[in-house]
Amino acid sequence: MLENSDLKEEKKFMRKIVSFVRREGRLTNGQSRAIEELWPVMGIDYSADRPLDFSAVFGNENPVILEIGFGMGKSLVEMASADRNSNYIGIEVHKPGVGACLMAARENQLTNLRVFEHDAVEILENMVPDGSLSKVQIFFPDPWQKKKHNKRRIVQLPFLQLLAKKLKPQGIVHLATDWQEYAEHMVEVGNSCDQFTNLSQSNDYVPRPDFRPMTKFELRGISLGHGIWDLMFQKK
């Protein structure tokens, strides 16, 4: 369990945490064109004082699944394409990734996907209504490998408490990482959050679910002998 002093430190750093490091990269012509053409339809601009109405955003009452840090969007688009009875929102701060995701969404003729290009913590705090999400996905977040940087990891107790506010009862947080020390940290933090129950029978990790697409990044890690750890916590 986390000691009281640890909890105070995590709360102190919570306001400084951002979901991912912003990495500027060169847009391809296709990515740039996709952002220009599709952002008015699939993009959501951040506003500190404009809570979202998901039924208005998507035009239906389907469950809403939020993915934080979707990279180039391949797995997010695959999941949204395979599950068109759910609505998906992706958050990414890397503009080429946003462009690539929008390109893939158009190719798959998706109508159940929207994207943000902004920090996830601020979006959650200011735009996502309490009790509105069915699931939150965070796959392979930056592990901040150096010990002195560990406090920058997004998976910390105050952040999970924020997710609990935004999830519906029985809502799920699904995490995945290829960094063992971070996986152990996720188990400790998740099991310390009173609002959640660990869905693992052994109170740590769950088998890799078939519905989570295997990415090139993940396949490369496996080929190099890296482990992959999935975790699922359910809101009580």
Side-chain angles (χ1 to χ4, degrees):
M1 297 291 290
L2 297 174
E3 300 296 334
N4 289 338
S5 59
D6 295 326
L7 297 181
K8 291 179 181 178
E9 281 298 303
E10 287 192 346
K11 289 179 181 178
K12 176 182 177 182
F13 281 91
M14 182 60 189
R15 297 302 305 179
K16 300 179 182 179
I17 294 172
V18 294
S19 53
F20 283 84
V21 175
R22 185 176 293 277
R23 298 170 289 122
E24 296 300 331
R26 185 177 180 84
L27 285 166
T28 67
N29 290 337
Q31 292 166 357
S32 180
R33 189 163 52 250
I35 292 174
E36 180 180 354
E37 295 174 357
L38 298 178
W39 189 263
V41 178
M42 300 183 68
I44 303 177
D45 294 315
Y46 172 75
S47 174
D49 57 359
R50 183 169 62 89
L52 293 173
D53 178 351
F54 290 136
S55 61
V57 169
F58 291 100
N60 58 57
E61 301 292 335
N62 292 342
V64 178
I65 298 170
L66 175 70
E67 180 164 330
I68 298 173
F70 58 73
M72 301 303 283
K74 183 177 183 295
S75 64
L76 175 60
V77 167
E78 284 188 37
M79 295 182 77
S81 182
D83 180 21
R84 295 179 186 250
N85 290 323
S86 294
N87 297 319
Y88 285 77
I89 293 180
I91 300 176
E92 179 56 61
V93 297
H94 185 47
K95 190 177 288 291
V98 173
C101 182
L102 291 175
M103 288 175 64
R106 175 161 55 189
E107 291 171 3
N108 285 270
Q109 300 180 330
L110 295 183
T111 60
N112 62 331
L113 175 62
R114 302 291 185 272
V115 298
F116 276 99
E117 185 191 349
H118 194 77
D119 173 60
V121 174
E122 291 187 346
I123 291 169
L124 285 162
E125 289 179 334
N126 300 317
M127 295 193 71
V128 175
D130 292 352
S132 63
L133 300 174
S134 294
K135 182 188 291 186
V136 177
Q137 303 175 164
I138 309 176
F139 300 148
F140 306 101
D142 192 328
W144 291 104
Q145 300 171 10
K146 294 183 179 179
K147 190 173 181 59
K148 65 180 180 180
H149 292 154
N150 284 175
K151 289 188 175 70
R152 298 184 185 183
R153 292 171 171 172
I154 190 171
V155 181
Q156 298 185 26
L157 183 56
F159 183 69
L160 286 186
Q161 291 170 335
L162 174 61
L163 295 185
K165 285 180 58 180
K166 304 303 174 178
L167 284 165
K168 294 180 177 181
Q170 312 305 309
I172 301 292
V173 174
H174 183 186
L175 310 172
T177 182
D178 64 335
W179 191 257
Q180 183 174 359
E181 194 273 331
Y182 197 6
E184 294 169 352
H185 169 84
M186 290 175 173
V187 170
E188 179 183 8
V189 172
N191 288 345
S192 296
C193 189
D194 293 338
Q195 293 97 323
F196 288 104
T197 299
N198 193 327
L199 293 183
S200 165
Q201 293 183 354
S202 52
N203 212 37
D204 47 20
Y205 312 109
V206 297
R208 182 190 179 284
D210 292 338
F211 62 78
R212 182 172 69 75
M214 185 77 72
T215 65
K216 289 183 179 178
F217 171 85
E218 188 172 356
L219 287 170
R220 180 177 179 275
I222 292 172
S223 71
L224 294 173
H226 296 178
I228 305 294
W229 293 269
D230 280 80
L231 305 87
M232 286 188 180
F233 299 94
Q234 185 173 53
K235 182 177 176 180
K236 296 177 180 177

